[in-house]
Amino acid sequence: MRFTSEQRLDDGVLERKFTLGEIPGILWTPGSASAPAPLILLGHPGGLHRMYPRLVARARHSVAEGFAAATIELPGGGDRPRFAAVEEARADLLRALAAGEPVDEIVDRLVLPLVEKAVPEWRAALDALLSLPEIGGPVGFAGGVIAIGLRLAVVEPRISAALLFAGSFVPRIMFAEARQVTIPLLVLLQWDDEGNDRQLALDLFDAFGSKEKTLHANMGGHTGVPQFEGDDGSRFFARHLK
């Protein structure tokens, strides 16, 4: 991990951009702390520059609650090399949704390659982040892509709890993995999400094997998650990471 820039935000949060090989990322930590902070990994759909305003708002909220927060760019996102096959699948998905056609095969082509590459990158980033003296764990994962969060919850034992956003498609083949998830979960679902399959999201929640799992469903579209869900998320992570 190599830090490439550093700035102090107006609320005292320290923001540092870094690279991990070819992967760019951002780390936010409290301005002053007497002990290493638990860590929340911030998931997103790709495009760090485009997503930055929402990511920094989430990070500041997390740091105010005593956590460190970090994110990395997804494969094919931002300035990273594009996945031609994934770009084609994304275009095919939009066409199929507009035409009301089946999308299961397209979702497999779109999501599975992303999960296969992104999850090892998140785990490598976690290795580097937990080596820093200001970060001590436990670790939570918050956000999307939900299929990435699902896979991480299965294969990464250092993640103790996850807040997942049911705002993207999940390949049906991954439902078997969902049954292996045992960590506490809080899942957010926008009831009128124009780009998501509501019934698939409900079926996935039912499939999760966690004994503690909570579903918060709110009216509104994809970007209409109520602000109070941030407070509920903080309480969720406080219970499981502190």
Side-chain angles (χ1 to χ4, degrees):
M1 172 182 281
R2 182 174 68 89
F3 288 106
T4 59
S5 70
E6 176 179 314
Q7 67 169 329
R8 186 79 61 177
L9 305 183
D10 55 15
D11 54 1
V13 173
L14 180 62
E15 177 184 279
R16 286 174 284 175
K17 295 182 178 180
F18 64 84
T19 57
L20 188 67
E22 66 171 16
I23 308 165
I26 311 174
L27 171 64
W28 296 271
T29 51
S32 60
S34 58
L39 175 65
I40 297 178
L41 303 175
L42 301 180
H44 61 91
L48 275 183
H49 180 73
R50 175 177 57 87
M51 291 295 301
Y52 176 80
R54 291 165 62 184
L55 287 166
V56 72
R58 291 166 58 193
R60 289 173 120 162
H61 191 93
S62 297
V63 173
E65 298 297 325
F67 302 103
T71 192
I72 59 173
E73 182 63 275
L74 285 184
D79 296 327
R80 297 190 64 185
R82 290 290 184 263
F83 282 178
V86 169
E87 293 292 317
E88 180 182 348
R90 184 175 289 110
D92 289 345
L93 178 64
L94 293 175
R95 284 194 293 269
L97 289 172
E101 298 171 353
V103 299
D104 282 359
E105 179 270 336
I106 302 173
V107 168
D108 289 354
R109 289 194 285 119
L110 174 64
V111 178
L112 290 175
L114 181 63
V115 170
E116 292 294 335
K117 185 162 179 62
V119 167
E121 292 181 352
W122 273 111
R123 299 186 76 184
L126 187 54
D127 290 340
L129 290 162
L130 288 176
S131 72
L132 300 174
E134 61 268 38
I135 298 175
V139 180
F141 181 88
V145 174
I146 191 170
I148 293 173
L150 188 168
R151 175 68 61 81
L152 278 169
V154 173
V155 303
E156 181 46 75
R158 293 171 292 185
I159 294 180
S160 302
L163 188 164
L164 302 176
F165 178 47
S168 54
F169 286 92
V170 176
R172 292 282 180 180
I173 196 172
M174 293 190 70
F175 276 52
E177 289 184 59
R179 297 182 182 94
Q180 301 175 46
V181 175
T182 58
I183 62 174
L185 296 177
L186 174 59
V187 180
L188 305 183
L189 170 64
Q190 287 302 101
W191 201 249
D192 306 302
D193 192 335
E194 60 281 1
N196 194 21
D197 183 328
R198 181 197 302 164
Q199 189 57 53
L200 183 143
L202 294 173
D203 292 345
L204 179 65
F205 179 79
D206 189 46
F208 282 125
S210 303
K211 291 183 178 179
E212 180 186 331
K213 57 179 180 180
T214 302
L215 177 69
H216 287 187
N218 292 286
M219 304 304 293
H222 187 79
T223 59
V225 178
Q227 188 171 358
F228 61 74
E229 288 292 2
D231 297 327
D232 287 344
S234 294
R235 287 190 288 269
F236 169 77
F237 282 124
R239 287 199 305 275
H240 298 293
L241 303 185
K242 290 186 176 179

PDB file of all heavy atoms in Angstrom, residues 195-220:
ATOM      1  N   GLY A 195     -34.092  -0.354 -10.892  1.00  0.00           N
ATOM      2  CA  GLY A 195     -33.081  -1.189 -11.531  1.00  0.00           C
ATOM      3  C   GLY A 195     -32.849  -2.504 -10.827  1.00  0.00           C
ATOM      4  O   GLY A 195     -31.841  -3.169 -11.060  1.00  0.00           O
ATOM      5  N   ASN A 196     -33.782  -2.904  -9.966  1.00  0.00           N
ATOM      6  CA  ASN A 196     -33.566  -4.115  -9.186  1.00  0.00           C
ATOM      7  C   ASN A 196     -34.824  -4.983  -9.228  1.00  0.00           C
ATOM      8  O   ASN A 196     -35.928  -4.492  -9.492  1.00  0.00           O
ATOM      9  CB  ASN A 196     -33.213  -3.750  -7.742  1.00  0.00           C
ATOM     10  CG  ASN A 196     -32.648  -4.934  -6.971  1.00  0.00           C
ATOM     11  OD1 ASN A 196     -32.161  -5.894  -7.543  1.00  0.00           O
ATOM     12  ND2 ASN A 196     -32.718  -4.865  -5.658  1.00  0.00           N
ATOM     13  N   ASP A 197     -34.642  -6.254  -8.960  1.00  0.00           N
ATOM     14  CA  ASP A 197     -35.738  -7.213  -8.895  1.00  0.00           C
ATOM     15  C   ASP A 197     -36.117  -7.386  -7.433  1.00  0.00           C
ATOM     16  O   ASP A 197     -35.401  -8.024  -6.665  1.00  0.00           O
ATOM     17  CB  ASP A 197     -35.296  -8.542  -9.518  1.00  0.00           C
ATOM     18  CG  ASP A 197     -36.398  -9.585  -9.572  1.00  0.00           C
ATOM     19  OD1 ASP A 197     -37.247  -9.592  -8.673  1.00  0.00           O
ATOM     20  OD2 ASP A 197     -36.393 -10.374 -10.527  1.00  0.00           O
ATOM     21  N   ARG A 198     -37.265  -6.805  -7.046  1.00  0.00           N
ATOM     22  CA  ARG A 198     -37.656  -6.820  -5.627  1.00  0.00           C
ATOM     23  C   ARG A 198     -37.816  -8.246  -5.105  1.00  0.00           C
ATOM     24  O   ARG A 198     -37.340  -8.563  -3.999  1.00  0.00           O
ATOM     25  CB  ARG A 198     -38.958  -6.049  -5.442  1.00  0.00           C
ATOM     26  CG  ARG A 198     -39.441  -5.995  -3.995  1.00  0.00           C
ATOM     27  CD  ARG A 198     -40.908  -5.600  -3.923  1.00  0.00           C
ATOM     28  NE  ARG A 198     -41.155  -4.318  -4.551  1.00  0.00           N
ATOM     29  CZ  ARG A 198     -42.366  -3.889  -4.894  1.00  0.00           C
ATOM     30  NH1 ARG A 198     -43.418  -4.681  -4.706  1.00  0.00           N
ATOM     31  NH2 ARG A 198     -42.531  -2.700  -5.434  1.00  0.00           N
ATOM     32  N   GLN A 199     -38.479  -9.111  -5.879  1.00  0.00           N
ATOM     33  CA  GLN A 199     -38.708 -10.471  -5.399  1.00  0.00           C
ATOM     34  C   GLN A 199     -37.393 -11.226  -5.249  1.00  0.00           C
ATOM     35  O   GLN A 199     -37.210 -11.987  -4.294  1.00  0.00           O
ATOM     36  CB  GLN A 199     -39.639 -11.228  -6.344  1.00  0.00           C
ATOM     37  CG  GLN A 199     -40.094 -12.574  -5.777  1.00  0.00           C
ATOM     38  CD  GLN A 199     -40.796 -12.438  -4.427  1.00  0.00           C
ATOM     39  OE1 GLN A 199     -41.746 -11.668  -4.284  1.00  0.00           O
ATOM     40  NE2 GLN A 199     -40.327 -13.165  -3.423  1.00  0.00           N
ATOM     41  N   LEU A 200     -36.457 -11.010  -6.163  1.00  0.00           N
ATOM     42  CA  LEU A 200     -35.153 -11.645  -6.031  1.00  0.00           C
ATOM     43  C   LEU A 200     -34.461 -11.184  -4.755  1.00  0.00           C
ATOM     44  O   LEU A 200     -33.838 -11.990  -4.045  1.00  0.00           O
ATOM     45  CB  LEU A 200     -34.288 -11.354  -7.252  1.00  0.00           C
ATOM     46  CG  LEU A 200     -32.903 -12.014  -7.287  1.00  0.00           C
ATOM     47  CD1 LEU A 200     -32.555 -12.438  -8.709  1.00  0.00           C
ATOM     48  CD2 LEU A 200     -31.819 -11.076  -6.763  1.00  0.00           C
ATOM     49  N   ALA A 201     -34.569  -9.877  -4.437  1.00  0.00           N
ATOM     50  CA  ALA A 201     -33.953  -9.357  -3.217  1.00  0.00           C
ATOM     51  C   ALA A 201     -34.579  -9.990  -1.979  1.00  0.00           C
ATOM     52  O   ALA A 201     -33.877 -10.330  -1.016  1.00  0.00           O
ATOM     53  CB  ALA A 201     -34.093  -7.839  -3.168  1.00  0.00           C
ATOM     54  N   LEU A 202     -35.901 -10.175  -1.987  1.00  0.00           N
ATOM     55  CA  LEU A 202     -36.573 -10.812  -0.850  1.00  0.00           C
ATOM     56  C   LEU A 202     -36.185 -12.284  -0.743  1.00  0.00           C
ATOM     57  O   LEU A 202     -35.970 -12.800   0.365  1.00  0.00           O
ATOM     58  CB  LEU A 202     -38.086 -10.669  -0.997  1.00  0.00           C
ATOM     59  CG  LEU A 202     -38.635  -9.240  -0.911  1.00  0.00           C
ATOM     60  CD1 LEU A 202     -40.119  -9.223  -1.256  1.00  0.00           C
ATOM     61  CD2 LEU A 202     -38.405  -8.638   0.471  1.00  0.00           C
ATOM     62  N   ASP A 203     -36.084 -12.956  -1.891  1.00  0.00           N
ATOM     63  CA  ASP A 203     -35.669 -14.368  -1.883  1.00  0.00           C
ATOM     64  C   ASP A 203     -34.242 -14.515  -1.361  1.00  0.00           C
ATOM     65  O   ASP A 203     -33.932 -15.468  -0.624  1.00  0.00           O
ATOM     66  CB  ASP A 203     -35.752 -14.956  -3.292  1.00  0.00           C
ATOM     67  CG  ASP A 203     -37.183 -15.087  -3.804  1.00  0.00           C
ATOM     68  OD1 ASP A 203     -38.121 -14.989  -2.976  1.00  0.00           O
ATOM     69  OD2 ASP A 203     -37.363 -15.259  -5.021  1.00  0.00           O
ATOM     70  N   LEU A 204     -33.360 -13.574  -1.724  1.00  0.00           N
ATOM     71  CA  LEU A 204     -31.986 -13.628  -1.249  1.00  0.00           C
ATOM     72  C   LEU A 204     -31.934 -13.432   0.260  1.00  0.00           C
ATOM     73  O   LEU A 204     -31.218 -14.156   0.964  1.00  0.00           O
ATOM     74  CB  LEU A 204     -31.143 -12.555  -1.944  1.00  0.00           C
ATOM     75  CG  LEU A 204     -29.676 -12.483  -1.519  1.00  0.00           C
ATOM     76  CD1 LEU A 204     -28.932 -13.754  -1.908  1.00  0.00           C
ATOM     77  CD2 LEU A 204     -28.999 -11.262  -2.143  1.00  0.00           C
ATOM     78  N   PHE A 205     -32.701 -12.472   0.764  1.00  0.00           N
ATOM     79  CA  PHE A 205     -32.730 -12.261   2.211  1.00  0.00           C
ATOM     80  C   PHE A 205     -33.190 -13.532   2.927  1.00  0.00           C
ATOM     81  O   PHE A 205     -32.630 -13.921   3.953  1.00  0.00           O
ATOM     82  CB  PHE A 205     -33.653 -11.090   2.554  1.00  0.00           C
ATOM     83  CG  PHE A 205     -33.758 -10.834   4.028  1.00  0.00           C
ATOM     84  CD1 PHE A 205     -32.756 -10.140   4.699  1.00  0.00           C
ATOM     85  CD2 PHE A 205     -34.846 -11.293   4.763  1.00  0.00           C
ATOM     86  CE1 PHE A 205     -32.833  -9.917   6.068  1.00  0.00           C
ATOM     87  CE2 PHE A 205     -34.930 -11.072   6.139  1.00  0.00           C
ATOM     88  CZ  PHE A 205     -33.918 -10.380   6.778  1.00  0.00           C
ATOM     89  N   ASP A 206     -34.202 -14.183   2.375  1.00  0.00           N
ATOM     90  CA  ASP A 206     -34.698 -15.421   2.968  1.00  0.00           C
ATOM     91  C   ASP A 206     -33.621 -16.499   2.955  1.00  0.00           C
ATOM     92  O   ASP A 206     -33.535 -17.323   3.875  1.00  0.00           O
ATOM     93  CB  ASP A 206     -35.929 -15.886   2.197  1.00  0.00           C
ATOM     94  CG  ASP A 206     -36.639 -17.040   2.868  1.00  0.00           C
ATOM     95  OD1 ASP A 206     -36.846 -16.994   4.097  1.00  0.00           O
ATOM     96  OD2 ASP A 206     -36.992 -18.012   2.173  1.00  0.00           O
ATOM     97  N   ALA A 207     -32.761 -16.487   1.918  1.00  0.00           N
ATOM     98  CA  ALA A 207     -31.740 -17.532   1.783  1.00  0.00           C
ATOM     99  C   ALA A 207     -30.573 -17.352   2.742  1.00  0.00           C
ATOM    100  O   ALA A 207     -29.898 -18.333   3.077  1.00  0.00           O
ATOM    101  CB  ALA A 207     -31.223 -17.559   0.347  1.00  0.00           C
ATOM    102  N   PHE A 208     -30.291 -16.132   3.177  1.00  0.00           N
ATOM    103  CA  PHE A 208     -29.141 -15.921   4.062  1.00  0.00           C
ATOM    104  C   PHE A 208     -29.251 -16.820   5.294  1.00  0.00           C
ATOM    105  O   PHE A 208     -30.306 -16.917   5.930  1.00  0.00           O
ATOM    106  CB  PHE A 208     -29.052 -14.466   4.506  1.00  0.00           C
ATOM    107  CG  PHE A 208     -28.477 -13.539   3.475  1.00  0.00           C
ATOM    108  CD1 PHE A 208     -29.170 -12.405   3.066  1.00  0.00           C
ATOM    109  CD2 PHE A 208     -27.238 -13.793   2.911  1.00  0.00           C
ATOM    110  CE1 PHE A 208     -28.632 -11.541   2.111  1.00  0.00           C
ATOM    111  CE2 PHE A 208     -26.692 -12.946   1.955  1.00  0.00           C
ATOM    112  CZ  PHE A 208     -27.398 -11.814   1.558  1.00  0.00           C
ATOM    113  N   GLY A 209     -28.138 -17.460   5.664  1.00  0.00           N
ATOM    114  CA  GLY A 209     -28.146 -18.397   6.775  1.00  0.00           C
ATOM    115  C   GLY A 209     -27.937 -17.775   8.139  1.00  0.00           C
ATOM    116  O   GLY A 209     -27.935 -18.494   9.148  1.00  0.00           O
ATOM    117  N   SER A 210     -27.767 -16.482   8.224  1.00  0.00           N
ATOM    118  CA  SER A 210     -27.479 -15.812   9.499  1.00  0.00           C
ATOM    119  C   SER A 210     -28.648 -15.949  10.474  1.00  0.00           C
ATOM    120  O   SER A 210     -29.814 -15.780  10.090  1.00  0.00           O
ATOM    121  CB  SER A 210     -27.194 -14.328   9.263  1.00  0.00           C
ATOM    122  OG  SER A 210     -26.127 -14.152   8.362  1.00  0.00           O
ATOM    123  N   LYS A 211     -28.325 -16.209  11.739  1.00  0.00           N
ATOM    124  CA  LYS A 211     -29.357 -16.245  12.766  1.00  0.00           C
ATOM    125  C   LYS A 211     -29.851 -14.841  13.087  1.00  0.00           C
ATOM    126  O   LYS A 211     -31.013 -14.664  13.476  1.00  0.00           O
ATOM    127  CB  LYS A 211     -28.816 -16.918  14.036  1.00  0.00           C
ATOM    128  CG  LYS A 211     -28.555 -18.407  13.874  1.00  0.00           C
ATOM    129  CD  LYS A 211     -28.092 -19.031  15.178  1.00  0.00           C
ATOM    130  CE  LYS A 211     -27.874 -20.535  15.013  1.00  0.00           C
ATOM    131  NZ  LYS A 211     -27.394 -21.165  16.278  1.00  0.00           N
ATOM    132  N   GLU A 212     -28.975 -13.862  12.972  1.00  0.00           N
ATOM    133  CA  GLU A 212     -29.385 -12.475  13.151  1.00  0.00           C
ATOM    134  C   GLU A 212     -29.343 -11.786  11.792  1.00  0.00           C
ATOM    135  O   GLU A 212     -28.275 -11.517  11.250  1.00  0.00           O
ATOM    136  CB  GLU A 212     -28.474 -11.719  14.122  1.00  0.00           C
ATOM    137  CG  GLU A 212     -28.931 -10.267  14.303  1.00  0.00           C
ATOM    138  CD  GLU A 212     -27.996  -9.421  15.138  1.00  0.00           C
ATOM    139  OE1 GLU A 212     -27.320  -9.990  16.023  1.00  0.00           O
ATOM    140  OE2 GLU A 212     -27.939  -8.205  14.916  1.00  0.00           O
ATOM    141  N   LYS A 213     -30.501 -11.536  11.236  1.00  0.00           N
ATOM    142  CA  LYS A 213     -30.596 -10.801   9.968  1.00  0.00           C
ATOM    143  C   LYS A 213     -31.850  -9.938  10.016  1.00  0.00           C
ATOM    144  O   LYS A 213     -32.921 -10.399  10.432  1.00  0.00           O
ATOM    145  CB  LYS A 213     -30.605 -11.739   8.763  1.00  0.00           C
ATOM    146  CG  LYS A 213     -31.716 -12.791   8.756  1.00  0.00           C
ATOM    147  CD  LYS A 213     -31.640 -13.665   7.504  1.00  0.00           C
ATOM    148  CE  LYS A 213     -32.743 -14.711   7.483  1.00  0.00           C
ATOM    149  NZ  LYS A 213     -32.696 -15.564   6.271  1.00  0.00           N
ATOM    150  N   THR A 214     -31.695  -8.697   9.593  1.00  0.00           N
ATOM    151  CA  THR A 214     -32.775  -7.721   9.645  1.00  0.00           C
ATOM    152  C   THR A 214     -32.920  -7.087   8.273  1.00  0.00           C
ATOM    153  O   THR A 214     -31.928  -6.735   7.634  1.00  0.00           O
ATOM    154  CB  THR A 214     -32.466  -6.627  10.691  1.00  0.00           C
ATOM    155  OG1 THR A 214     -32.267  -7.244  11.967  1.00  0.00           O
ATOM    156  CG2 THR A 214     -33.606  -5.629  10.789  1.00  0.00           C
ATOM    157  N   LEU A 215     -34.172  -6.927   7.824  1.00  0.00           N
ATOM    158  CA  LEU A 215     -34.466  -6.292   6.546  1.00  0.00           C
ATOM    159  C   LEU A 215     -35.182  -4.975   6.797  1.00  0.00           C
ATOM    160  O   LEU A 215     -36.209  -4.945   7.470  1.00  0.00           O
ATOM    161  CB  LEU A 215     -35.343  -7.196   5.688  1.00  0.00           C
ATOM    162  CG  LEU A 215     -35.800  -6.622   4.346  1.00  0.00           C
ATOM    163  CD1 LEU A 215     -34.620  -6.483   3.395  1.00  0.00           C
ATOM    164  CD2 LEU A 215     -36.893  -7.503   3.717  1.00  0.00           C
ATOM    165  N   HIS A 216     -34.619  -3.878   6.270  1.00  0.00           N
ATOM    166  CA  HIS A 216     -35.268  -2.576   6.302  1.00  0.00           C
ATOM    167  C   HIS A 216     -35.708  -2.242   4.879  1.00  0.00           C
ATOM    168  O   HIS A 216     -34.868  -2.027   4.002  1.00  0.00           O
ATOM    169  CB  HIS A 216     -34.319  -1.492   6.811  1.00  0.00           C
ATOM    170  CG  HIS A 216     -34.064  -1.558   8.272  1.00  0.00           C
ATOM    171  ND1 HIS A 216     -33.356  -0.595   8.957  1.00  0.00           N
ATOM    172  CD2 HIS A 216     -34.437  -2.469   9.209  1.00  0.00           C
ATOM    173  CE1 HIS A 216     -33.290  -0.909  10.234  1.00  0.00           C
ATOM    174  NE2 HIS A 216     -33.931  -2.047  10.410  1.00  0.00           N
ATOM    175  N   ALA A 217     -37.008  -2.212   4.641  1.00  0.00           N
ATOM    176  CA  ALA A 217     -37.552  -1.876   3.324  1.00  0.00           C
ATOM    177  C   ALA A 217     -38.197  -0.497   3.395  1.00  0.00           C
ATOM    178  O   ALA A 217     -39.050  -0.249   4.251  1.00  0.00           O
ATOM    179  CB  ALA A 217     -38.573  -2.920   2.883  1.00  0.00           C
ATOM    180  N   ASN A 218     -37.757   0.393   2.506  1.00  0.00           N
ATOM    181  CA  ASN A 218     -38.280   1.757   2.471  1.00  0.00           C
ATOM    182  C   ASN A 218     -38.842   2.063   1.103  1.00  0.00           C
ATOM    183  O   ASN A 218     -38.337   1.581   0.081  1.00  0.00           O
ATOM    184  CB  ASN A 218     -37.166   2.766   2.797  1.00  0.00           C
ATOM    185  CG  ASN A 218     -36.709   2.667   4.240  1.00  0.00           C
ATOM    186  OD1 ASN A 218     -37.400   3.100   5.155  1.00  0.00           O
ATOM    187  ND2 ASN A 218     -35.543   2.078   4.448  1.00  0.00           N
ATOM    188  N   MET A 219     -39.881   2.883   1.070  1.00  0.00           N
ATOM    189  CA  MET A 219     -40.438   3.315  -0.190  1.00  0.00           C
ATOM    190  C   MET A 219     -39.441   4.216  -0.906  1.00  0.00           C
ATOM    191  O   MET A 219     -38.634   4.901  -0.284  1.00  0.00           O
ATOM    192  CB  MET A 219     -41.752   4.073   0.035  1.00  0.00           C
ATOM    193  CG  MET A 219     -42.796   3.285   0.814  1.00  0.00           C
ATOM    194  SD  MET A 219     -43.196   1.697   0.069  1.00  0.00           S
ATOM    195  CE  MET A 219     -44.003   2.233  -1.432  1.00  0.00           C
ATOM    196  N   GLY A 220     -39.481   4.197  -2.246  1.00  0.00           N
ATOM    197  CA  GLY A 220     -38.615   5.070  -3.016  1.00  0.00           C
ATOM    198  C   GLY A 220     -37.714   4.311  -3.957  1.00  0.00           C
ATOM    199  O   GLY A 220     -37.592   3.079  -3.897  1.00  0.00           O
TER     200      GLY A 220
END
